[in-house]
Amino acid sequence: MADPSRLRPDDRADFEAVLHHALGTADIRGALGTDPGGLTAAHLRAHALAHADDIAAAAEVPYRSYRTVRRAARHETRGPLDTPAVCCRPSRCSHRSWRARPPRRCS
């Protein structure tokens, strides 16, 4: 079994998306604004990606919660015979999916 404190390969895309979002917030952009070339932001991004396992280990409790919620969401979005569920009313549906995950069922 994999070390629970390490970032799992199937979570890496979400980690990168959250990192991109965090580096794009006004507070972070403002703090990094003293570097007009953007090298500090690029260095920070590369450093975070290189140390993703350490970051996951430092955030072990929230990461474990994330994994539990994600596992439940994946289970919820499965239809009969473990096939991806489809939205019943795509034009009126308020559900949003991240990346290539299937949409949730409308209620």
Side-chain angles (χ1 to χ4, degrees), residues 3-90:
D3 180 0
S5 65
R6 292 179 54 91
L7 185 67
R8 296 183 183 192
D10 55 330
D11 296 334
R12 189 154 297 273
D14 286 345
F15 178 84
E16 290 180 16
V18 169
L19 176 61
H20 178 76
H21 175 76
L23 291 176
T25 62
D27 290 343
I28 301 298
R29 279 194 331 252
L32 297 174
T34 59
D35 177 23
L39 295 177
T40 303
H43 175 73
L44 187 57
R45 182 179 195 289
H47 186 75
L49 291 174
H51 296 280
D53 289 337
D54 296 331
I55 294 168
E60 182 177 357
V61 173
Y63 182 46
R64 192 177 320 125
S65 296
Y66 160 82
R67 299 271 315 154
T68 301
V69 169
R70 189 170 131 204
R71 189 173 25 256
R74 283 185 174 171
H75 178 71
E76 182 181 302
T77 61
R78 294 297 188 179
L81 302 176
D82 204 32
T83 57
V86 292
C87 186
C88 57
R89 295 177 301 220

